[in-house]
Amino acid sequence: MVDPSQTRHDEVDRIIDAWHAQRPDVDTSPMEIFSRITRIDRILSLKRRRAFAEHNLEEWEFDVLSSLRRCGDKPALTPGALMSELLVSSGTMTNRINRLEAKDLVRRQPDPSDKRGVLVVLTPDGRTCVDAAIQSLVVCEKQMLNDFSQTDLRVLRTHLRNLLMSLEEKPTLS
């Protein structure tokens, strides 16, 4: 990792400096974290899209397929379980399942434990596709972390996990 004693400035530092010049009365310290997370998310999203495009997948397609692939012994998930895991609405999930079904990456089947329900099942083509895509994703993400030591990565994982858990535990403001 870069020596913290070296003064380096990123775009967020420039934004914070501009706010301090205009509004010195505002504590912008939370922006130093969340603006960086937002920028990292945008960069990661672009790189992930490129990795998934190699397999003719969109990010959301990978998310659905990987949710199903991680089920292990379970043959499928309900649309409701997918909605909960992926944090999307019912209409969005239905649309996603329809589109993946049209590409023969998933199929619907009756839920044997609920006569009115359906299960979403990964097809063999879906499994092949998501298995290849996860390989591309991991290679891409490892490259992005090359400059960090294992100790730095362990600390970063811990802090990010703690931040995420803290945010997930707090009620969302309306």
Side-chain angles (χ1 to χ4, degrees):
M1 187 166 185
V2 175
D3 181 356
S5 66
Q6 294 178 348
T7 304
R8 295 184 63 199
H9 296 282
D10 62 10
E11 186 60 26
V12 173
D13 290 320
R14 288 182 269 288
I15 291 167
I16 297 300
D17 289 347
W19 274 117
H20 284 171
Q22 298 303 312
R23 292 291 311 270
D25 58 310
V26 174
D27 176 14
T28 58
S29 60
M31 291 175 66
E32 293 184 52
I33 294 172
F34 292 109
S35 292
R36 284 187 175 94
I37 290 172
T38 299
R39 292 181 71 80
I40 290 167
D41 177 57
R42 289 181 185 146
I43 293 165
L44 177 59
S45 211
L46 289 170
K47 290 185 181 283
R48 292 180 100 204
R49 275 189 229 139
R50 283 188 211 124
F52 298 144
E54 294 172 20
H55 308 283
N56 297 313
L57 288 177
E58 299 287 334
E59 269 188 282
W60 66 264
E61 290 174 310
F62 175 80
D63 290 342
V64 174
L65 297 176
S66 64
S67 292
L68 293 167
R69 180 67 173 97
R70 292 190 308 265
C71 286
D73 295 338
K74 294 184 199 174
L77 289 173
T78 65
L82 285 166
M83 284 172 31
S84 295
E85 184 170 330
L86 300 174
L87 302 174
V88 297
S89 69
S90 174
T92 298
M93 194 72 253
T94 298
N95 183 10
R96 290 179 178 185
I97 294 167
N98 289 344
R99 291 173 65 186
L100 288 168
E101 201 169 34
K103 291 176 75 171
D104 195 35
L105 299 175
V106 302
R107 64 181 165 77
R108 288 178 172 95
Q109 71 181 32
D111 184 345
S113 64
D114 178 1
K115 300 260 189 245
R116 297 177 298 161
V118 298
L119 295 173
V120 181
V121 179
L122 194 61
T123 65
D125 285 348
R127 181 182 177 125
T128 299
C129 185
V130 74
D131 282 352
I134 188 68
Q135 281 299 126
S136 294
L137 176 63
V138 170
V139 167
C140 171
E141 290 181 348
K142 279 184 180 179
Q143 288 172 347
M144 287 188 281
L145 297 172
N146 274 344
D147 293 340
F148 294 89
S149 71
Q150 288 304 308
T151 300
D152 290 335
L153 292 173
R154 194 170 23 261
V155 169
L156 183 58
R157 280 191 296 270
T158 299
H159 289 303
L160 289 173
R161 181 183 303 109
N162 290 342
L163 175 60
L164 179 60
M165 289 172 63
S166 171
L167 294 173
E168 288 178 337
E169 290 171 0
K170 293 179 181 164
T172 304
L173 298 177
S174 304

